[in-house]
PDB file of all heavy atoms in Angstrom:
ATOM      1  N   LEU B 206      28.855 105.186-180.896  1.00 91.00           N
ATOM      2  CA  LEU B 206      27.950 104.123-180.439  1.00 91.00           C
ATOM      3  C   LEU B 206      26.637 104.743-180.014  1.00 91.00           C
ATOM      4  O   LEU B 206      25.564 104.210-180.499  1.00 91.00           O
ATOM      5  CB  LEU B 206      28.590 103.291-179.289  1.00 91.00           C
ATOM      6  CG  LEU B 206      29.582 102.283-179.707  1.00 91.00           C
ATOM      7  CD1 LEU B 206      30.256 101.719-178.499  1.00 91.00           C
ATOM      8  CD2 LEU B 206      28.897 101.120-180.541  1.00 91.00           C
ATOM      9  N   HIS B 207      26.753 105.752-179.350  1.00 89.00           N
ATOM     10  CA  HIS B 207      25.398 106.529-178.992  1.00 89.00           C
ATOM     11  C   HIS B 207      24.647 106.967-180.217  1.00 89.00           C
ATOM     12  O   HIS B 207      23.472 106.918-180.360  1.00 89.00           O
ATOM     13  CB  HIS B 207      25.581 107.589-177.975  1.00 89.00           C
ATOM     14  CG  HIS B 207      24.364 108.416-177.655  1.00 89.00           C
ATOM     15  ND1 HIS B 207      24.093 109.512-178.460  1.00 89.00           N
ATOM     16  CD2 HIS B 207      23.323 108.126-176.893  1.00 89.00           C
ATOM     17  CE1 HIS B 207      22.869 109.972-177.973  1.00 89.00           C
ATOM     18  NE2 HIS B 207      22.381 109.124-177.128  1.00 89.00           N
ATOM     19  N   LYS B 208      25.376 107.627-181.086  1.00 88.00           N
ATOM     20  CA  LYS B 208      24.816 108.115-182.325  1.00 88.00           C
ATOM     21  C   LYS B 208      24.081 107.143-183.241  1.00 88.00           C
ATOM     22  O   LYS B 208      23.094 107.312-183.660  1.00 88.00           O
ATOM     23  CB  LYS B 208      25.830 108.892-183.125  1.00 88.00           C
ATOM     24  CG  LYS B 208      25.312 109.777-184.223  1.00 88.00           C
ATOM     25  CD  LYS B 208      26.374 110.563-184.920  1.00 88.00           C
ATOM     26  CE  LYS B 208      26.558 111.916-184.070  1.00 88.00           C
ATOM     27  NZ  LYS B 208      27.398 112.856-184.716  1.00 88.00           N
ATOM     28  N   THR B 209      24.821 105.942-183.256  1.00 90.00           N
ATOM     29  CA  THR B 209      24.351 104.854-184.126  1.00 90.00           C
ATOM     30  C   THR B 209      23.261 103.970-183.391  1.00 90.00           C
ATOM     31  O   THR B 209      22.261 103.585-184.081  1.00 90.00           O
ATOM     32  CB  THR B 209      25.419 103.950-184.562  1.00 90.00           C
ATOM     33  OG1 THR B 209      26.046 103.310-183.403  1.00 90.00           O
ATOM     34  CG2 THR B 209      26.400 104.630-185.477  1.00 90.00           C
ATOM     35  N   THR B 210      23.209 103.839-182.107  1.00 91.00           N
ATOM     36  CA  THR B 210      22.335 102.988-181.448  1.00 91.00           C
ATOM     37  C   THR B 210      21.104 103.790-180.714  1.00 91.00           C
ATOM     38  O   THR B 210      20.206 103.224-180.274  1.00 91.00           O
ATOM     39  CB  THR B 210      22.968 102.069-180.405  1.00 91.00           C
ATOM     40  OG1 THR B 210      23.533 102.943-179.399  1.00 91.00           O
ATOM     41  CG2 THR B 210      24.001 101.171-181.036  1.00 91.00           C
ATOM     42  N   GLN B 211      21.484 105.136-180.425  1.00 86.00           N
ATOM     43  CA  GLN B 211      20.467 106.016-179.680  1.00 86.00           C
ATOM     44  C   GLN B 211      20.301 105.479-178.325  1.00 86.00           C
ATOM     45  O   GLN B 211      19.247 105.680-177.735  1.00 86.00           O
ATOM     46  CB  GLN B 211      19.146 106.108-180.380  1.00 86.00           C
ATOM     47  CG  GLN B 211      19.190 106.732-181.805  1.00 86.00           C
ATOM     48  CD  GLN B 211      19.659 108.163-181.765  1.00 86.00           C
ATOM     49  OE1 GLN B 211      19.153 108.939-180.984  1.00 86.00           O
ATOM     50  NE2 GLN B 211      20.641 108.419-182.547  1.00 86.00           N
ATOM     51  N   ASN B 212      21.337 104.761-177.851  1.00 87.00           N
ATOM     52  CA  ASN B 212      21.226 104.165-176.461  1.00 87.00           C
ATOM     53  C   ASN B 212      21.951 104.999-175.502  1.00 87.00           C
ATOM     54  O   ASN B 212      23.165 105.260-175.638  1.00 87.00           O
ATOM     55  CB  ASN B 212      21.866 102.726-176.543  1.00 87.00           C
ATOM     56  CG  ASN B 212      21.778 102.060-175.113  1.00 87.00           C
ATOM     57  OD1 ASN B 212      21.465 102.596-174.132  1.00 87.00           O
ATOM     58  ND2 ASN B 212      22.061 100.685-175.128  1.00 87.00           N
ATOM     59  N   ASN B 213      21.237 105.660-174.486  1.00 87.00           N
ATOM     60  CA  ASN B 213      21.840 106.550-173.624  1.00 87.00           C
ATOM     61  C   ASN B 213      22.854 105.864-172.611  1.00 87.00           C
ATOM     62  O   ASN B 213      23.556 106.533-171.958  1.00 87.00           O
ATOM     63  CB  ASN B 213      20.776 107.259-172.824  1.00 87.00           C
ATOM     64  CG  ASN B 213      20.120 108.483-173.634  1.00 87.00           C
ATOM     65  OD1 ASN B 213      20.694 108.896-174.575  1.00 87.00           O
ATOM     66  ND2 ASN B 213      18.916 108.874-173.166  1.00 87.00           N
ATOM     67  N   GLU B 214      22.798 104.521-172.566  1.00 91.00           N
ATOM     68  CA  GLU B 214      23.755 103.989-171.682  1.00 91.00           C
ATOM     69  C   GLU B 214      25.267 104.270-172.162  1.00 91.00           C
ATOM     70  O   GLU B 214      26.060 104.485-171.235  1.00 91.00           O
ATOM     71  CB  GLU B 214      23.576 102.421-171.831  1.00 91.00           C
ATOM     72  CG  GLU B 214      24.511 101.524-170.843  1.00 91.00           C
ATOM     73  CD  GLU B 214      24.128 100.045-170.845  1.00 91.00           C
ATOM     74  OE1 GLU B 214      23.041  99.765-171.222  1.00 91.00           O
ATOM     75  OE2 GLU B 214      24.991  99.351-170.532  1.00 91.00           O
ATOM     76  N   TRP B 215      25.450 104.405-173.460  1.00 90.00           N
ATOM     77  CA  TRP B 215      26.822 104.841-173.832  1.00 90.00           C
ATOM     78  C   TRP B 215      27.241 106.195-173.348  1.00 90.00           C
ATOM     79  O   TRP B 215      28.325 106.494-172.989  1.00 90.00           O
ATOM     80  CB  TRP B 215      27.006 104.798-175.393  1.00 90.00           C
ATOM     81  CG  TRP B 215      26.681 103.360-175.926  1.00 90.00           C
ATOM     82  CD1 TRP B 215      25.717 102.984-176.781  1.00 90.00           C
ATOM     83  CD2 TRP B 215      27.487 102.250-175.657  1.00 90.00           C
ATOM     84  NE1 TRP B 215      25.884 101.639-177.049  1.00 90.00           N
ATOM     85  CE2 TRP B 215      26.884 101.114-176.362  1.00 90.00           C
ATOM     86  CE3 TRP B 215      28.627 101.919-174.969  1.00 90.00           C
ATOM     87  CZ2 TRP B 215      27.331  99.822-176.387  1.00 90.00           C
ATOM     88  CZ3 TRP B 215      29.154 100.724-174.976  1.00 90.00           C
ATOM     89  CH2 TRP B 215      28.535  99.597-175.642  1.00 90.00           C
ATOM     90  N   LEU B 216      26.242 107.094-173.405  1.00 89.00           N
ATOM     91  CA  LEU B 216      26.466 108.454-172.828  1.00 89.00           C
ATOM     92  C   LEU B 216      26.685 108.316-171.307  1.00 89.00           C
ATOM     93  O   LEU B 216      27.534 109.116-170.842  1.00 89.00           O
ATOM     94  CB  LEU B 216      25.372 109.391-173.129  1.00 89.00           C
ATOM     95  CG  LEU B 216      25.156 109.902-174.511  1.00 89.00           C
ATOM     96  CD1 LEU B 216      24.036 110.784-174.663  1.00 89.00           C
ATOM     97  CD2 LEU B 216      26.498 110.379-175.031  1.00 89.00           C
ATOM     98  N   GLY B 217      26.011 107.534-170.601  1.00 90.00           N
ATOM     99  CA  GLY B 217      26.184 107.330-169.246  1.00 90.00           C
ATOM    100  C   GLY B 217      27.562 106.871-168.830  1.00 90.00           C
ATOM    101  O   GLY B 217      28.213 107.374-167.839  1.00 90.00           O
ATOM    102  N   ILE B 218      28.130 105.915-169.643  1.00 92.00           N
ATOM    103  CA  ILE B 218      29.442 105.516-169.449  1.00 92.00           C
ATOM    104  C   ILE B 218      30.466 106.666-169.675  1.00 92.00           C
ATOM    105  O   ILE B 218      31.418 106.862-168.944  1.00 92.00           O
ATOM    106  CB  ILE B 218      29.823 104.374-170.404  1.00 92.00           C
ATOM    107  CG1 ILE B 218      28.838 103.104-170.030  1.00 92.00           C
ATOM    108  CG2 ILE B 218      31.302 103.999-170.348  1.00 92.00           C
ATOM    109  CD1 ILE B 218      28.958 102.109-171.086  1.00 92.00           C
ATOM    110  N   LEU B 219      30.200 107.493-170.756  1.00 92.00           N
ATOM    111  CA  LEU B 219      31.098 108.497-170.930  1.00 92.00           C
ATOM    112  C   LEU B 219      30.998 109.595-169.875  1.00 92.00           C
ATOM    113  O   LEU B 219      32.178 110.144-169.431  1.00 92.00           O
ATOM    114  CB  LEU B 219      30.635 109.174-172.426  1.00 92.00           C
ATOM    115  CG  LEU B 219      31.502 110.221-173.087  1.00 92.00           C
ATOM    116  CD1 LEU B 219      32.948 109.691-173.174  1.00 92.00           C
ATOM    117  CD2 LEU B 219      30.964 110.600-174.306  1.00 92.00           C
ATOM    118  N   LEU B 220      29.833 109.975-169.525  1.00 92.00           N
ATOM    119  CA  LEU B 220      29.738 110.952-168.465  1.00 92.00           C
ATOM    120  C   LEU B 220      30.374 110.548-167.181  1.00 92.00           C
ATOM    121  O   LEU B 220      30.942 111.339-166.384  1.00 92.00           O
ATOM    122  CB  LEU B 220      28.299 111.434-168.246  1.00 92.00           C
ATOM    123  CG  LEU B 220      27.761 112.198-169.452  1.00 92.00           C
ATOM    124  CD1 LEU B 220      26.141 112.336-169.268  1.00 92.00           C
ATOM    125  CD2 LEU B 220      28.339 113.592-169.519  1.00 92.00           C
ATOM    126  N   GLN B 221      30.187 109.154-166.775  1.00 93.00           N
ATOM    127  CA  GLN B 221      30.709 108.606-165.596  1.00 93.00           C
ATOM    128  C   GLN B 221      32.260 108.939-165.518  1.00 93.00           C
ATOM    129  O   GLN B 221      32.810 109.159-164.560  1.00 93.00           O
ATOM    130  CB  GLN B 221      30.408 107.208-165.483  1.00 93.00           C
ATOM    131  CG  GLN B 221      30.737 106.590-164.218  1.00 93.00           C
ATOM    132  CD  GLN B 221      30.301 105.120-164.095  1.00 93.00           C
ATOM    133  OE1 GLN B 221      29.902 104.585-165.100  1.00 93.00           O
ATOM    134  NE2 GLN B 221      30.382 104.601-162.890  1.00 93.00           N
ATOM    135  N   ARG B 222      33.026 108.795-166.696  1.00 94.00           N
ATOM    136  CA  ARG B 222      34.365 109.011-166.763  1.00 94.00           C
ATOM    137  C   ARG B 222      34.786 110.338-166.257  1.00 94.00           C
ATOM    138  O   ARG B 222      35.828 110.585-165.792  1.00 94.00           O
ATOM    139  CB  ARG B 222      35.030 108.875-168.104  1.00 94.00           C
ATOM    140  CG  ARG B 222      34.846 107.455-168.725  1.00 94.00           C
ATOM    141  CD  ARG B 222      35.455 107.450-170.150  1.00 94.00           C
ATOM    142  NE  ARG B 222      35.435 106.141-170.589  1.00 94.00           N
ATOM    143  CZ  ARG B 222      35.866 105.765-171.807  1.00 94.00           C
ATOM    144  NH1 ARG B 222      36.295 106.644-172.588  1.00 94.00           N
ATOM    145  NH2 ARG B 222      35.802 104.459-172.113  1.00 94.00           N
ATOM    146  N   TYR B 223      33.883 111.488-166.465  1.00 96.00           N
ATOM    147  CA  TYR B 223      34.224 112.765-166.071  1.00 96.00           C
ATOM    148  C   TYR B 223      33.521 113.251-164.900  1.00 96.00           C
ATOM    149  O   TYR B 223      33.452 114.532-164.718  1.00 96.00           O
ATOM    150  CB  TYR B 223      33.931 113.663-167.383  1.00 96.00           C
ATOM    151  CG  TYR B 223      34.880 113.285-168.497  1.00 96.00           C
ATOM    152  CD1 TYR B 223      34.487 112.395-169.558  1.00 96.00           C
ATOM    153  CD2 TYR B 223      36.145 113.703-168.525  1.00 96.00           C
ATOM    154  CE1 TYR B 223      35.263 112.052-170.592  1.00 96.00           C
ATOM    155  CE2 TYR B 223      37.071 113.342-169.510  1.00 96.00           C
ATOM    156  CZ  TYR B 223      36.676 112.556-170.526  1.00 96.00           C
ATOM    157  OH  TYR B 223      37.499 112.144-171.523  1.00 96.00           O
ATOM    158  N   THR B 224      33.045 112.390-164.129  1.00 96.00           N
ATOM    159  CA  THR B 224      32.282 112.838-162.897  1.00 96.00           C
ATOM    160  C   THR B 224      33.127 113.655-161.963  1.00 96.00           C
ATOM    161  O   THR B 224      32.764 114.837-161.432  1.00 96.00           O
ATOM    162  CB  THR B 224      31.674 111.735-162.143  1.00 96.00           C
ATOM    163  OG1 THR B 224      30.777 110.980-163.038  1.00 96.00           O
ATOM    164  CG2 THR B 224      30.930 112.110-160.926  1.00 96.00           C
ATOM    165  N   LEU B 225      34.383 113.218-161.823  1.00 96.00           N
ATOM    166  CA  LEU B 225      35.376 113.923-160.864  1.00 96.00           C
ATOM    167  C   LEU B 225      35.781 115.239-161.400  1.00 96.00           C
ATOM    168  O   LEU B 225      35.891 116.201-160.700  1.00 96.00           O
ATOM    169  CB  LEU B 225      36.494 113.064-160.460  1.00 96.00           C
ATOM    170  CG  LEU B 225      36.263 111.923-159.588  1.00 96.00           C
ATOM    171  CD1 LEU B 225      37.502 111.003-159.268  1.00 96.00           C
ATOM    172  CD2 LEU B 225      35.697 112.405-158.136  1.00 96.00           C
ATOM    173  N   LEU B 226      35.955 115.313-162.766  1.00 96.00           N
ATOM    174  CA  LEU B 226      36.261 116.584-163.330  1.00 96.00           C
ATOM    175  C   LEU B 226      35.225 117.667-163.128  1.00 96.00           C
ATOM    176  O   LEU B 226      35.463 118.693-162.744  1.00 96.00           O
ATOM    177  CB  LEU B 226      36.560 116.384-164.886  1.00 96.00           C
ATOM    178  CG  LEU B 226      36.768 117.624-165.646  1.00 96.00           C
ATOM    179  CD1 LEU B 226      38.130 118.250-165.387  1.00 96.00           C
ATOM    180  CD2 LEU B 226      36.540 117.352-167.250  1.00 96.00           C
ATOM    181  N   LEU B 227      33.950 117.127-163.397  1.00 97.00           N
ATOM    182  CA  LEU B 227      32.790 118.106-163.297  1.00 97.00           C
ATOM    183  C   LEU B 227      32.573 118.497-161.849  1.00 97.00           C
ATOM    184  O   LEU B 227      32.422 119.668-161.561  1.00 97.00           O
ATOM    185  CB  LEU B 227      31.542 117.410-163.859  1.00 97.00           C
ATOM    186  CG  LEU B 227      31.510 117.010-165.340  1.00 97.00           C
ATOM    187  CD1 LEU B 227      30.310 116.213-165.612  1.00 97.00           C
ATOM    188  CD2 LEU B 227      31.674 118.172-166.127  1.00 97.00           C
ATOM    189  N   PHE B 228      32.809 117.563-160.890  1.00 97.00           N
ATOM    190  CA  PHE B 228      32.664 117.947-159.488  1.00 97.00           C
ATOM    191  C   PHE B 228      33.771 119.009-159.164  1.00 97.00           C
ATOM    192  O   PHE B 228      33.516 119.921-158.431  1.00 97.00           O
ATOM    193  CB  PHE B 228      32.887 116.680-158.630  1.00 97.00           C
ATOM    194  CG  PHE B 228      32.673 116.926-157.175  1.00 97.00           C
ATOM    195  CD1 PHE B 228      31.407 117.277-156.667  1.00 97.00           C
ATOM    196  CD2 PHE B 228      33.736 116.896-156.308  1.00 97.00           C
ATOM    197  CE1 PHE B 228      31.306 117.630-155.235  1.00 97.00           C
ATOM    198  CE2 PHE B 228      33.610 117.121-154.993  1.00 97.00           C
ATOM    199  CZ  PHE B 228      32.333 117.519-154.517  1.00 97.00           C
ATOM    200  N   GLY B 229      34.947 118.769-159.644  1.00 97.00           N
ATOM    201  CA  GLY B 229      36.067 119.693-159.394  1.00 97.00           C
ATOM    202  C   GLY B 229      35.788 121.131-159.893  1.00 97.00           C
ATOM    203  O   GLY B 229      36.058 122.075-159.228  1.00 97.00           O
ATOM    204  N   VAL B 230      35.299 121.194-161.098  1.00 97.00           N
ATOM    205  CA  VAL B 230      34.866 122.468-161.680  1.00 97.00           C
ATOM    206  C   VAL B 230      33.825 123.076-160.814  1.00 97.00           C
ATOM    207  O   VAL B 230      33.933 124.238-160.556  1.00 97.00           O
ATOM    208  CB  VAL B 230      34.466 122.279-163.119  1.00 97.00           C
ATOM    209  CG1 VAL B 230      33.815 123.523-163.783  1.00 97.00           C
ATOM    210  CG2 VAL B 230      35.596 121.755-164.055  1.00 97.00           C
ATOM    211  N   CYS B 231      32.762 122.415-160.507  1.00 97.00           N
ATOM    212  CA  CYS B 231      31.741 122.857-159.653  1.00 97.00           C
ATOM    213  C   CYS B 231      32.186 123.419-158.320  1.00 97.00           C
ATOM    214  O   CYS B 231      31.782 124.469-157.791  1.00 97.00           O
ATOM    215  CB  CYS B 231      30.555 121.972-159.510  1.00 97.00           C
ATOM    216  SG  CYS B 231      29.616 121.664-161.057  1.00 97.00           S
ATOM    217  N   MET B 232      33.063 122.579-157.793  1.00 97.00           N
ATOM    218  CA  MET B 232      33.689 123.005-156.450  1.00 97.00           C
ATOM    219  C   MET B 232      34.466 124.367-156.551  1.00 97.00           C
ATOM    220  O   MET B 232      34.383 125.201-155.594  1.00 97.00           O
ATOM    221  CB  MET B 232      34.533 121.852-155.766  1.00 97.00           C
ATOM    222  CG  MET B 232      33.722 120.762-155.118  1.00 97.00           C
ATOM    223  SD  MET B 232      32.797 121.359-153.728  1.00 97.00           S
ATOM    224  CE  MET B 232      34.103 121.739-152.557  1.00 97.00           C
ATOM    225  N   LYS B 233      35.276 124.407-157.536  1.00 97.00           N
ATOM    226  CA  LYS B 233      35.952 125.687-157.792  1.00 97.00           C
ATOM    227  C   LYS B 233      35.112 126.899-157.858  1.00 97.00           C
ATOM    228  O   LYS B 233      35.444 127.864-157.274  1.00 97.00           O
ATOM    229  CB  LYS B 233      36.784 125.500-159.174  1.00 97.00           C
ATOM    230  CG  LYS B 233      37.492 126.733-159.585  1.00 97.00           C
ATOM    231  CD  LYS B 233      38.091 126.500-160.949  1.00 97.00           C
ATOM    232  CE  LYS B 233      38.685 127.822-161.405  1.00 97.00           C
ATOM    233  NZ  LYS B 233      39.215 127.681-162.861  1.00 97.00           N
ATOM    234  N   TYR B 234      33.922 126.818-158.513  1.00 96.00           N
ATOM    235  CA  TYR B 234      33.169 127.870-158.559  1.00 96.00           C
ATOM    236  C   TYR B 234      32.168 128.080-157.374  1.00 96.00           C
ATOM    237  O   TYR B 234      31.894 129.256-157.015  1.00 96.00           O
ATOM    238  CB  TYR B 234      32.271 127.832-159.852  1.00 96.00           C
ATOM    239  CG  TYR B 234      33.076 128.175-161.188  1.00 96.00           C
ATOM    240  CD1 TYR B 234      33.557 127.127-161.947  1.00 96.00           C
ATOM    241  CD2 TYR B 234      33.358 129.505-161.492  1.00 96.00           C
ATOM    242  CE1 TYR B 234      34.347 127.383-162.999  1.00 96.00           C
ATOM    243  CE2 TYR B 234      34.108 129.784-162.598  1.00 96.00           C
ATOM    244  CZ  TYR B 234      34.607 128.763-163.333  1.00 96.00           C
ATOM    245  OH  TYR B 234      35.369 129.086-164.444  1.00 96.00           O
ATOM    246  N   PHE B 235      31.536 127.081-156.945  1.00 96.00           N
ATOM    247  CA  PHE B 235      30.556 127.146-155.900  1.00 96.00           C
ATOM    248  C   PHE B 235      31.048 127.135-154.467  1.00 96.00           C
ATOM    249  O   PHE B 235      30.529 127.656-153.574  1.00 96.00           O
ATOM    250  CB  PHE B 235      29.497 125.977-155.985  1.00 96.00           C
ATOM    251  CG  PHE B 235      28.754 126.019-157.399  1.00 96.00           C
ATOM    252  CD1 PHE B 235      28.360 124.900-157.945  1.00 96.00           C
ATOM    253  CD2 PHE B 235      28.365 127.231-157.886  1.00 96.00           C
ATOM    254  CE1 PHE B 235      27.628 124.957-159.119  1.00 96.00           C
ATOM    255  CE2 PHE B 235      27.627 127.282-159.077  1.00 96.00           C
ATOM    256  CZ  PHE B 235      27.293 126.128-159.631  1.00 96.00           C
ATOM    257  N   LYS B 236      32.238 126.391-154.278  1.00 95.00           N
ATOM    258  CA  LYS B 236      32.844 126.277-152.938  1.00 95.00           C
ATOM    259  C   LYS B 236      31.922 125.745-151.882  1.00 95.00           C
ATOM    260  O   LYS B 236      31.881 126.096-150.759  1.00 95.00           O
ATOM    261  CB  LYS B 236      33.547 127.664-152.529  1.00 95.00           C
ATOM    262  CG  LYS B 236      34.611 128.108-153.379  1.00 95.00           C
ATOM    263  CD  LYS B 236      35.016 129.446-153.004  1.00 95.00           C
ATOM    264  CE  LYS B 236      36.149 130.072-153.849  1.00 95.00           C
ATOM    265  NZ  LYS B 236      36.279 129.752-155.282  1.00 95.00           N
ATOM    266  N   ASN B 237      31.096 124.848-152.460  1.00 95.00           N
ATOM    267  CA  ASN B 237      30.077 124.194-151.543  1.00 95.00           C
ATOM    268  C   ASN B 237      29.762 122.745-152.221  1.00 95.00           C
ATOM    269  O   ASN B 237      29.383 122.721-153.291  1.00 95.00           O
ATOM    270  CB  ASN B 237      28.784 125.032-151.564  1.00 95.00           C
ATOM    271  CG  ASN B 237      27.611 124.401-150.720  1.00 95.00           C
ATOM    272  OD1 ASN B 237      27.161 123.242-151.072  1.00 95.00           O
ATOM    273  ND2 ASN B 237      27.222 125.127-149.751  1.00 95.00           N
ATOM    274  N   GLU B 238      29.976 121.754-151.266  1.00 96.00           N
ATOM    275  CA  GLU B 238      29.853 120.384-151.733  1.00 96.00           C
ATOM    276  C   GLU B 238      28.445 120.046-152.311  1.00 96.00           C
ATOM    277  O   GLU B 238      28.353 119.451-153.364  1.00 96.00           O
ATOM    278  CB  GLU B 238      30.208 119.420-150.714  1.00 96.00           C
ATOM    279  CG  GLU B 238      30.373 118.033-151.238  1.00 96.00           C
ATOM    280  CD  GLU B 238      30.908 117.060-150.063  1.00 96.00           C
ATOM    281  OE1 GLU B 238      31.545 117.498-149.131  1.00 96.00           O
ATOM    282  OE2 GLU B 238      30.760 115.919-150.246  1.00 96.00           O
ATOM    283  N   THR B 239      27.424 120.429-151.665  1.00 96.00           N
ATOM    284  CA  THR B 239      26.082 120.153-151.955  1.00 96.00           C
ATOM    285  C   THR B 239      25.750 120.872-153.329  1.00 96.00           C
ATOM    286  O   THR B 239      25.119 120.239-154.206  1.00 96.00           O
ATOM    287  CB  THR B 239      25.137 120.662-150.881  1.00 96.00           C
ATOM    288  OG1 THR B 239      25.369 120.004-149.664  1.00 96.00           O
ATOM    289  CG2 THR B 239      23.641 120.306-151.310  1.00 96.00           C
ATOM    290  N   LEU B 240      26.126 122.090-153.500  1.00 96.00           N
ATOM    291  CA  LEU B 240      25.814 122.820-154.713  1.00 96.00           C
ATOM    292  C   LEU B 240      26.639 122.197-155.892  1.00 96.00           C
ATOM    293  O   LEU B 240      26.065 122.090-157.073  1.00 96.00           O
ATOM    294  CB  LEU B 240      26.186 124.308-154.605  1.00 96.00           C
ATOM    295  CG  LEU B 240      25.305 125.206-153.786  1.00 96.00           C
ATOM    296  CD1 LEU B 240      25.792 126.555-153.595  1.00 96.00           C
ATOM    297  CD2 LEU B 240      23.860 125.183-154.277  1.00 96.00           C
ATOM    298  N   ALA B 241      27.811 121.791-155.585  1.00 96.00           N
ATOM    299  CA  ALA B 241      28.705 121.046-156.616  1.00 96.00           C
ATOM    300  C   ALA B 241      28.029 119.834-157.097  1.00 96.00           C
ATOM    301  O   ALA B 241      27.964 119.435-158.212  1.00 96.00           O
ATOM    302  CB  ALA B 241      30.062 120.828-156.053  1.00 96.00           C
TER     303      ALA B 241
END
């Protein structure tokens, strides 16, 4: 949908799904909530 419409809202929805995963990865490496 993003590729065909060029609407970043679709990417926003997709990235929102993985916010906790990304936060967990960052916490694993940085061990600091603000940096994560």
Side-chain angles (χ1 to χ4, degrees):
L206 280 168
H207 173 262
K208 191 174 276 190
T209 57
T210 64
Q211 299 299 310
N212 184 346
N213 282 341
E214 186 175 333
W215 298 116
L216 289 181
I218 294 165
L219 186 56
L220 289 169
Q221 187 177 13
R222 288 182 180 178
Y223 294 100
T224 301
L225 288 177
L226 171 74
L227 297 176
F228 182 72
V230 171
C231 290
M232 280 298 293
K233 175 183 172 185
Y234 286 99
F235 298 144
K236 296 176 180 33
N237 178 300
E238 188 174 341
T239 303
L240 291 177

